[in-house]
Amino acid sequence: MHDLNNSAIRSAWETLSAALDFDNGNQQVRWSEEVERRLKENGLTYQAHTSRDYESRQGQLDVVPYLMDESTYELLALGLSQRVRFFEALLADLYGERRLIADGSIPAELLFANPEYLIEVHGLNPNSPWISFLAHDLVRDSEGQWFVLGQSTRAPAGLGYVLERRMIMSRVMGYLLRRMSVKRLSGFFRTLRSFLRADSRDNDLSILLTPGHTVESYFEHAFLANHLDFTLAEGDDLTVRGNRLMLKTLSGLRPVSGVLRRVVDKDLDPLELNPQSRHGIPGLMEVVRSGGVRMGNVPGSGVIDSPLWMGRFDGLCQKLLGEELILKSIPALWFGDSDEHEECFSLWPNLLVRHAGAYPTSESFVVHDLEPIEQVRLRARIEADPCGWVAWAAIDLERVPVANGSVRDESHAVIRMYTAQSQDKKIDVMPGGLAACNHSAAWAQLRPNTPEQYKDIWVMGAEPDTQLSIFAEMDVFVIGSNDQSMTPSRVADAMFWLGRYIERADALTRLVREVLAGVIDVRTEKQQAAHWLLGAQINTEDITLEDAAFDIHQAFFVRDAPGGFSELIDAIMRNARATPDYLSDDSWRALVNLEQMINRIAWMKRSDAGRLLDQVDLILMQLAAVSGLNNDTMSRTYANCFMDIGRHLERASKTLILLNYAFQSLKPQDISQWEMVLEVTDTVMTYRRRYRTRLHPTAILDLLLLDADTPRSISYLAARLEKLVNTLPVQQLGSRKTQLQQTAFAIHANLQMAAIDNYMTTQGSAKRPLIENLDQMIEQLAGLGEAITLAYFSHADVPQHLVKVGR
Amino acid sequence: MKYRIRHKNRYQYGQPVSLCHSSACLLPRDTLNQQVLSARLVILPVVDHVGERKDLFGNRLSRFSIEELHSDLMVLAESEVEVRPARNDGIRQIAWDNLAPIPPKTRLYLRPSLYVPTAGTALKAFAEKFFVSGTDLLDAIESLNEYIFNEFIYDSEFSDLETPVNFVLAEKRGVCQDFSHLMLAVLRSRGIACRYVSGYLETDPLPGQSKLLGADASHAWISVFVPGAGWVDLDPTNGLRPGDRHITLAWGRDYSDVIPLKGLMTGGSKHVLDVSVDVTRLE
């Protein structure tokens, strides 16, 4: 239970438990549901970002927070700050003079068996602190003694989650946070931000370097980048020129002076470090060495994450700082030392064992939970390389209450707390964090990164934090002032194609809808028209539409149908994932729904055309939701501009292709077919309002090609395209931009000079110049697409290794 | 003995390269028996700046970048070096399994490394042939060195830069790099500290002297730490202890620490590498 001997905690707990127990505990149930619902909503976004199952997202959020009084926080803050100072001194020695190795203070094997020790970093003298942020996992034993379970320089692993979970808690029970004077987190994030922003040159950028959407924590990276107002960038978005790190943006290469990295140390530079790395930037290490970029954390600092030397920190701190370590690490034994080795095996199998790799993800075992044969195997592995393993007897952890329906039971907690260090070595400890809970004390301390539940940590101040209201808590982080010309080229490329694929899906859906509506119509002419329309999309020679639902399902809905829905949605999601911080959460949800819908239809067994039609209507609605949201909720950035260009370009060429098909194959009296042309282009209502006559090909051409006010007409789209192209950044493009503008202008001009008499006979048949002109415009549009790619997206070359000189 | 070394590396690209970041370990270091009189890199296209630093092992590493469009890259290392034969006589006999402790920093060379695994049953069985309890350290190492020279076939078609040691052991074939890695693996598996040495051999011997294997490109051998005596070099490719015909370039845990030239390029597509080495005796 919470430490009820502590009066501050006791009174806070009274307030908290009274609130939870309100209405016979139903308040706790309602809040739990609310928390779960909000997590699930975010989870959907998460799933969209990472193409992983939401279910795999570990650890729910407990509605009961972990309570911490201010004096405990201050004690921990003092201890954690001291540890950061200690690690700075330790790293400086390890990568510098290595006195601690030479004099035996650190056994040589302990360092050399540490897979995070990078010899390539030797001699590096960073122009910033080694550790700009650090996560510590702390435990309190049943006697109230605090220990450090491990530390991770790969922080801010979880920083995004801390934010996300605090936001959820304050939405669900905001008044409680206020009443209990819970300390706010925003100050900490400001320090973190200022660390990488400090004295940055005017035009320089700060970025969050991520391995990309293939890693599980990508959602968190995007979330954090957004809230810190850093550009989210992958290795391929960056390059080294003139010994500076550069972001490839729409307006050319822009220098980067601050990097918050989520790429592991070894993968940062394929030239000097892991040559197989696909997440790094060739030449980066030399930039770091010469002080050209400030990086948090400095490459090589991951060496402190290894659990191997936990038991030795106390002595080393004495040696380096002349101070006793305030927060001791758990008393872990290292198999590489013969005495400790013997002690370990005398305790065997009542031990927890961890491998040398970075905490907390390195291999770990609860030995007595293993099968006897596995115990033997583990022992053999340890004996084969004892220097690579540590062990400790499980610590009896404090118990904390967790919600269980309307009541509470007990669990064990590991506290994760974060420190940030500024350029001038000011250390800030976040007054909060996450507690990782597990009903098994052993598993809680072995795998704190995969707990049964998380808790938000509430540090309670003596009096209310009056600076800002609790609701401003959320707003503080949302700054969103990123200079839009800083958009990475890769992102703009993805937005362009996202726009194109969404529009392509929209066009296909409308076409399939009309075909289906036609085949279920009793009238023969409608059925013939449906067959005709299908011919606009696929080869209909072998298709009779006797079993229309089957044929159409085969042609467009089964998985991997060429040009079908599954291909389109894959392309949409692929491009969307490359642009995470440019789409709103609502857009993400709409996209995920769309994907699920299309997958469902793909697996649909036999169906009739009517049922399929219902499904297609749903797709169309969902697509409208995606498009609408993207127009309404996205801020107008270059990225959006590229998406708009993609959409207009695709829409115009799809309409032109349809017109070309119609005017070459239809007679004026094919009324059902002409009607379908209007339906597919979504202009039936406009036509009726405008012409109030029966359908006539000349009027249709006038509307769809030449009418400047109809948002679906080519004339309108061409004008929009010209305008959009003119707003694109010109920097460093020179003649290419001019060429681009000329192409866009040519299409628009072409239409402005067109006269309907040149195109149509008085009887309503197409003349030769119409077909020629449609063909020409289709080609011009393709040319425009290529010109945009050439001008803006051609930075995408990925570096390759040279053949090494051997022997 | 004085030598002039010209080590020329030339890349020709199928497509122009717009950016190339490269790292070279081509400038020789001073050693107890070797003095570098002059050393320089010539790079074409011309680069503004070559960054030089010493790595953990004390090797000279050069970093340069070419940021203009080029279809051809030439890196020439030219140096003059004076070598004296190592004096390894007078090393006391000592059983390999009863050695004095190895100094802390040197213990790095006891650990397995990228190309030098120390586990594996075949390796263990092979090692036991030479390291019987109580055998004199240098005797054991010498016999291993000679065994590799006599029983393994020098075959430059057999292996590439990534061929695993176990494969070399199974097939008894390879080149200097493979034999050195194998020997390091055997020694480290027995708790003996040893390092990989990259360097050159005299290419055209004086009349009456035999041409050594591996003289047409850069060469590799190993060095063993003998507590109380220091480092002793062995060349398993030629079955001898290097004297004044071996010129040291650099050393490390294995080849990956001392790659003479590597890089990453943008563009380029397929490319060919042409290497030539000339080691001329000056006096």
Side-chain angles (χ1 to χ4, degrees), chain A residues 113-354:
Chain A
N114 182 339
E116 308 300 317
Y117 171 61
L118 302 179
I119 66 153
E120 295 83 353
V121 176
H122 179 79
L124 180 77
N125 187 12
N127 68 343
S128 60
W130 283 89
I131 298 170
S132 45
F133 31 76
L134 189 60
H136 272 97
D137 282 349
L138 296 146
V139 292
R140 183 155 49 172
D141 69 13
S142 47
E143 274 149 37
Q145 179 71 39
W146 288 97
F147 290 100
V148 175
L149 200 54
Q151 59 281 326
S152 174
T153 55
R154 293 180 187 179
L159 260 186
Y161 292 139
V162 174
L163 259 183
E164 182 205 9
R165 280 158 198 182
R166 172 57 66 86
M167 284 182 181
I168 289 175
M169 291 296 273
S170 39
R171 280 193 184 141
V172 174
M173 45 213 302
Y175 82 92
L176 261 183
L177 280 107
R178 218 162 32 242
R179 227 178 96 190
M180 295 167 70
S181 309
V182 174
K183 285 201 177 276
R184 307 158 44 71
L185 308 180
S186 45
F188 177 82
F189 283 91
R190 271 194 292 269
T191 307
L192 185 62
R193 210 169 109 81
S194 68
F195 166 78
L196 291 158
R197 289 266 188 214
D199 71 69
S200 75
R201 282 147 279 196
D202 269 346
N203 267 332
D204 291 6
L205 286 169
S206 293
I207 60 160
L208 193 150
L209 179 64
T210 170
H213 65 79
T214 49
V215 298
E216 208 170 339
S217 47
Y218 185 59
F219 166 65
E220 195 208 340
H221 303 174
F223 191 84
L224 194 60
N226 228 338
H227 287 92
L228 292 172
D229 190 29
F230 285 6
T231 302
L232 186 66
E234 300 177 20
D236 289 346
D237 295 335
L238 297 153
T239 183
V240 169
R241 296 261 178 176
N243 211 21
R244 288 222 55 192
L245 183 64
M246 301 284 200
L247 182 71
K248 304 171 194 171
T249 76
L250 289 173
S251 45
L253 299 176
R254 305 300 288 266
V256 175
S257 60
V259 177
L260 177 61
R261 72 177 165 92
R262 296 301 310 273
V263 168
V264 299
D265 305 47
K266 262 181 245 194
D267 284 349
L268 283 168
D269 182 351
L271 177 62
E272 292 198 37
L273 305 170
N274 173 18
Q276 265 87 45
S277 167
R278 292 175 55 246
H279 305 306
I281 304 108
L284 181 60
M285 278 304 290
E286 190 69 10
V287 182
V288 173
R289 247 181 231 121
S290 60
V293 69
R294 209 169 24 247
M295 187 172 286
N297 293 323
V298 174
S301 51
V303 68
I304 68 165
D305 294 353
S306 171
L308 291 183
W309 41 15
M310 288 195 297
R312 287 171 166 74
F313 282 161
D314 199 14
L316 292 173
C317 183
Q318 278 288 0
K319 188 143 202 148
L320 287 169
L321 300 186
E323 297 172 20
E324 193 183 336
L325 204 56
I326 299 166
L327 286 172
K328 308 222 184 321
S329 290
I330 52 167
L333 300 164
W334 178 48
F335 287 95
D337 177 278
S338 56
D339 292 344
E340 292 173 40
H341 184 280
E342 198 175 311
E343 195 180 340
C344 280
F345 282 114
S346 72
L347 292 170
W348 190 273
N350 296 314
L351 280 174
L352 307 184
V353 166
R354 189 181 283 286

Side-chain angles (χ1 to χ4, degrees), chain A residues 580-620:
Chain A
D581 46 353
Y582 290 84
L583 298 178
S584 70
D585 286 357
D586 290 334
S587 308
W588 276 113
R589 278 176 210 131
L591 281 175
V592 172
N593 282 337
L594 182 64
E595 185 182 34
Q596 287 171 346
M597 202 175 273
I598 287 172
N599 285 339
R600 244 191 342 262
I601 303 175
W603 295 110
M604 228 161 71
K605 295 275 178 271
R606 303 288 306 172
S607 174
D608 59 80
R611 237 187 99 203
L612 203 52
L613 183 57
D614 291 343
Q615 297 294 323
V616 171
D617 275 333
L618 290 175
I619 294 182
L620 200 60

Side-chain angles (χ1 to χ4, degrees), chain B residues 185-203:
Chain B
V186 172
L187 297 178
R188 286 187 200 163
S189 75
R190 302 279 91 182
I192 297 162
C194 51
R195 65 196 183 196
Y196 181 94
V197 185
S198 141
Y200 303 103
L201 293 173
E202 183 186 24
T203 34

Side-chain angles (χ1 to χ4, degrees), chain A residues 523-648:
Chain A
R523 289 167 291 180
T524 348
E525 67 266 25
K526 287 282 177 195
Q527 296 190 358
Q528 279 166 356
H531 195 262
W532 170 83
L533 183 59
L534 196 58
Q537 191 69 29
I538 54 170
N539 185 343
T540 48
E541 265 175 39
D542 301 327
I543 295 182
T544 57
L545 289 183
E546 269 166 28
D547 187 354
F550 178 78
D551 290 343
I552 289 169
H553 190 259
Q554 282 294 313
F556 300 112
F557 290 101
V558 292
R559 192 82 210 147
D560 302 326
F565 283 100
S566 69
E567 269 188 21
L568 288 174
I569 191 67
D570 285 353
I572 288 172
M573 295 309 283
R574 191 173 60 240
N575 284 292
R577 283 183 186 120
T579 62
D581 46 353
Y582 290 84
L583 298 178
S584 70
D585 286 357
D586 290 334
S587 308
W588 276 113
R589 278 176 210 131
L591 281 175
V592 172
N593 282 337
L594 182 64
E595 185 182 34
Q596 287 171 346
M597 202 175 273
I598 287 172
N599 285 339
R600 244 191 342 262
I601 303 175
W603 295 110
M604 228 161 71
K605 295 275 178 271
R606 303 288 306 172
S607 174
D608 59 80
R611 237 187 99 203
L612 203 52
L613 183 57
D614 291 343
Q615 297 294 323
V616 171
D617 275 333
L618 290 175
I619 294 182
L620 200 60
M621 276 164 62
Q622 201 60 44
L623 273 167
V626 171
S627 320
L629 287 168
N630 285 337
N631 286 332
D632 299 342
T633 61
M634 288 197 301
S635 50
R636 307 312 298 172
T637 62
Y638 282 137
N640 302 100
C641 188
F642 278 99
M643 184 164 172
D644 273 356
I645 292 177
R647 300 199 58 168
H648 285 85

Side-chain angles (χ1 to χ4, degrees), chain A residues 509-519 530 533 676 679-680:
Chain A
T509 314
R510 288 178 190 280
L511 182 133
V512 170
R513 187 174 67 160
E514 285 316 303
V515 172
L516 282 167
V519 295
L533 183 59
M676 281 184 180
E679 286 284 1
V680 170

